[in-house]
Amino acid sequence: MSRIVIVSNRTPAKGPAAGGLAVALKKVLAERQGFWFGWSGKLTESPSPTAQIQDVDGLSVAQIDLTRDDHQAYYSGFANSILWPSFHLRLDLTTIESHWYEGYRRVNAQFAAALAKLLRPDDIIWVHDYHLIPLATELRQLGVRNRIGFYLHIPFPTPDALYAIPHHTDLMRDLSHYDLVGMQAKRDVAAFLEFAEHQAPPTFASSAKHHVDFSRTEILAFPIGSDPDAFASLSVSPAAQKMITRMRRSLGDERLILGVDRLDYSKGLPQRVEAYEKFLAHNASFRRGVHFLQVAPPSRDTIKEYQATSETLDAVCGRVMGKFAEPDWQPLTYVKRAYGQPSLAGLYRLARVGLITPLRDGMNLVAHEYIGSQNPEDPGVLILSRFAGAAEIFPAALQVNPFDTDESAEAIRVALEMGLEERRARYEALMAAARKHNVGDWAEEFLSHLARKPGDSAPQHDHIYLNSVA
Ligand code: ADQ
């Protein structure tokens, strides 16, 4: 059996804190052999040409160091100040510095040079996420002929947003050097196809050399999931119970509305708090009977747009407190720290409403984890943004437009008033969908497609081959 090589910006750390994705990919590596390749987290004076290989909890992990300047240009610059906001349709939040692109390509070339030395001819390479779009191009230039797959964890942009990215044609050409490109949702595959069809508008300036030939690349939606049964067990574990007991003590009879996110502008946090504010304003009888807990640890906080989001959220939470708090009742708690999965599972299980309203999200695994953690006898209600990839697989959630805070406020009321029978029916449909899309099967399905040689018969999948549009 071929070895599997997983490549991502960061590699898994020691210890049990890993999320479902890391657990599933570790399992793949344990079963098939192979290794994980990525950045070590260290910044050095000169780039390391060769990877250091370490054993991390029985897993072989190869890592390279980056220079501070390269890392800044590649990670905070091109990946997170250009690609992340554009792919999430926040062109207003992009910062473009042209030299970042050179750093981005330099790091991808450095990854490729160090990785190529470790490869065997039949290794299957699986590259993760927008930091590493050019990796296949760089590997191909070094003569690597292996099967290489790419998975995009974030949404694919509409053509206009894509055109706003410097060097977007090069990036699309980079994608055409993969054998398989996996996306979260059908909407992302459709956006990709739209680019493919419109990439060469018939103007006097268009010429065949600008066209990208995708004829060798398979583009498919592989919606990622969590391990809902693991969350079901975790939610009744002693660690989860400890969190539940602690929360019950402070909540009393109040019903919990919960949000759990990284502090990121794509997650729609200020809009969410505003929706809760409107809910309290329009439904006075619910005041003192509910509590909203938002868990949002800072992420990428050296980037100024993230600092601004944090400040906006502080201000909105303060406003709601000022408007509605009483000496013996607080409408919300905002916690800026991360919790381990057992504590989160406890919070999910206790929450009568899971309020998951990103403005745009590749998938949103918190939605999957919330569903997995519910008590089947007395489940909570999931309010879900229709702009999360998860919306495609969870039609039984209460779906909202997160920009329309009146609609989200109304959904909170509907969720709190929903009877047990409807909650159970929705939960059963949601849990069946979460199980169907579990992360273990996701990894297996992606890899079985990637392992397939051209000419092999296609397994059942809702797939799309792109013909050359040149
Ligand atoms: P993220 O944007 O990080 O991931 P999400 O999928 O919601 O978003 O969460 C990933 C993991 O982080 C989950 O396992 C979750 O439990 C954990 N997490 C989130 N907030 C947390 C908190 N406050 N404390 C502790 N843990 C927290 C990107 C894409 C998503 C896509 C994933 C996976 O942006 O759209 O679903 O990758 O492909």
Side-chain angles (χ1 to χ4, degrees):
M1 197 185 255
S2 302
R3 295 192 310 173
I4 303 293
V5 178
I6 290 171
V7 190
S8 58
N9 173 49
R10 293 307 303 274
T11 56
K14 276 198 166 72
L21 173 60
V23 171
L25 293 178
K26 276 178 168 178
K27 191 160 157 259
V28 163
L29 288 181
E31 284 165 1
R32 315 246 196 144
Q33 304 204 315
F35 60 94
W36 200 313
F37 186 97
W39 175 48
S40 62
K42 288 192 204 122
L43 298 173
T44 47
E45 284 297 305
S46 52
S48 51
T50 309
Q52 299 290 321
I53 301 175
Q54 270 189 299
D55 183 282
V56 175
D57 298 336
L59 191 74
S60 181
V61 175
Q63 295 176 319
I64 54 167
D65 305 334
L66 301 177
T67 68
R68 187 173 298 280
D69 285 353
D70 277 355
H71 181 259
Q72 213 282 332
Y74 145 83
Y75 182 80
S76 305
F78 199 77
N80 282 318
S81 296
I82 298 180
L83 295 180
W84 176 277
S86 312
F87 279 43
H88 286 87
L89 306 187
R90 293 304 301 270
L91 295 177
D92 55 323
L93 298 182
T94 55
T95 305
I96 296 180
E97 292 202 21
S98 54
H99 70 99
W100 285 341
Y101 183 64
E102 290 148 33
Y104 179 71
R105 290 218 81 95
R106 217 164 31 241
V107 168
N108 273 270
Q110 193 192 336
F111 263 60
L115 175 58
K117 294 177 196 162
L118 304 175
L119 292 175
R120 296 180 192 160
D122 65 343
D123 285 348
I124 290 173
I125 305 165
W126 187 2
V127 179
H128 288 260
D129 235 354
Y130 57 102
H131 316 86
L132 298 172
I133 292 171
L135 193 64
T137 305
E138 301 295 340
L139 286 168
R140 300 286 185 225
Q141 275 170 9
L142 297 171
V144 172
R145 293 287 163 262
N146 302 49
R147 302 280 296 167
I148 313 180
F150 178 81
Y151 190 78
L152 184 67
H153 288 261
I154 64 175
F156 194 81
T158 57
D160 275 354
L162 187 66
Y163 296 151
I165 298 170
H167 309 282
H168 59 269
T169 305
D170 290 347
L171 295 171
M172 293 301 282
R173 188 165 287 113
D174 290 331
L175 286 179
S176 77
H177 293 141
Y178 288 95
D179 298 291
L180 173 62
V181 173
M183 309 233 177
Q184 296 275 21
K186 289 181 185 157
R187 118 199 121 177
D188 303 313
V189 174
F192 185 95
L193 289 177
E194 207 179 328
F195 166 81
E197 281 158 16
H198 292 99
Q199 64 171 320
T203 70
F204 74 96
S206 66
S207 86
K209 73 180 167 43
H210 290 120
H211 297 188
V212 182
D213 175 3
F214 291 109
S215 59
R216 292 191 57 259
T217 305
E218 199 182 356
I219 314 288
L220 297 168
F222 292 89
I224 199 172
S226 70
D227 184 344
D229 290 302
F231 268 88
S233 309
L234 211 53
S235 69
V236 291
S237 66
Q241 281 305 323
K242 202 169 150 191
M243 177 55 99
I244 290 174
T245 308
R246 193 172 144 195
M247 285 297 295
R248 280 217 175 103
R249 209 176 293 138
S250 84
L251 284 172
D253 293 335
E254 292 162 17
R255 287 183 292 175
L256 180 65
I257 300 167
L258 177 69
V260 173
D261 307 79
R262 278 186 307 101
L263 212 175
D264 191 294
Y265 49 76
S266 66
K267 304 294 183 183
L269 297 173
Q271 290 84 347
R272 190 180 306 172
V273 179
E274 195 178 298
Y276 179 63
E277 180 181 23
K278 286 187 174 173
F279 160 75
L280 291 177
H282 300 155
N283 299 279
S285 63
F286 279 93
R287 290 180 210 156
R288 305 182 69 90
V290 292
H291 188 85
F292 174 39
L293 170 64
Q294 176 63 54
V295 182
S299 72
R300 305 174 193 163
D301 51 4
T302 55
I303 299 174
K304 69 175 186 313
E305 286 73 18
Y306 284 76
Q307 295 158 5
T309 303
S310 180
E311 282 161 22
T312 306
L313 188 57
D314 290 350
V316 182
C317 288
R319 188 178 72 210
V320 174
M321 286 294 280
K323 236 190 223 176
F324 297 104
E326 295 180 38
D328 58 347
W329 178 66
Q330 298 199 340
L332 63 80
T333 306
Y334 167 31
V335 182
K336 277 190 176 176
R337 51 169 286 203
Y339 287 89
Q341 295 210 320
S343 301
L344 283 185
L347 289 174
Y348 293 145
R349 192 173 179 96
L350 187 63
R352 181 66 158 67
V353 179
L355 192 51
I356 302 175
T357 53
L359 303 180
R360 195 164 161 82
D361 218 332
M363 171 54 62
N364 195 299
L365 289 179
V366 172
H368 288 249
E369 296 166 1
Y370 176 75
I371 294 163
S373 304
Q374 293 310 297
N375 175 358
E377 302 307 317
D378 186 18
V381 180
L382 174 62
I383 298 179
L384 180 63
S385 162
R386 68 178 59 131
F387 304 125
E392 285 188 13
I393 59 175
F394 294 138
L398 283 186
Q399 296 201 3
V400 295
N401 168 7
F403 296 94
D404 181 349
T405 51
D406 286 311
E407 186 185 62
S408 302
E410 179 60 3
I412 296 173
R413 187 190 61 76
V414 169
L416 288 166
E417 287 183 344
M418 193 180 288
L420 181 60
E421 204 178 326
E422 184 176 353
R423 283 190 280 127
R424 275 199 192 148
R426 285 180 184 268
Y427 162 77
E428 273 157 29
L430 292 169
M431 189 62 175
R435 284 196 173 116
K436 182 172 169 213
H437 292 283
N438 74 82
V439 68
D441 288 355
W442 167 82
E444 284 304 326
E445 205 183 334
F446 185 92
L447 285 170
S448 72
H449 268 85
L450 181 55
R452 197 160 45 88
K453 302 276 187 316
D456 289 357
S457 65
Q460 287 296 311
H461 196 98
D462 189 8
H463 68 272
I464 297 163
Y465 283 97
L466 288 175
N467 291 320
S468 169
V469 287

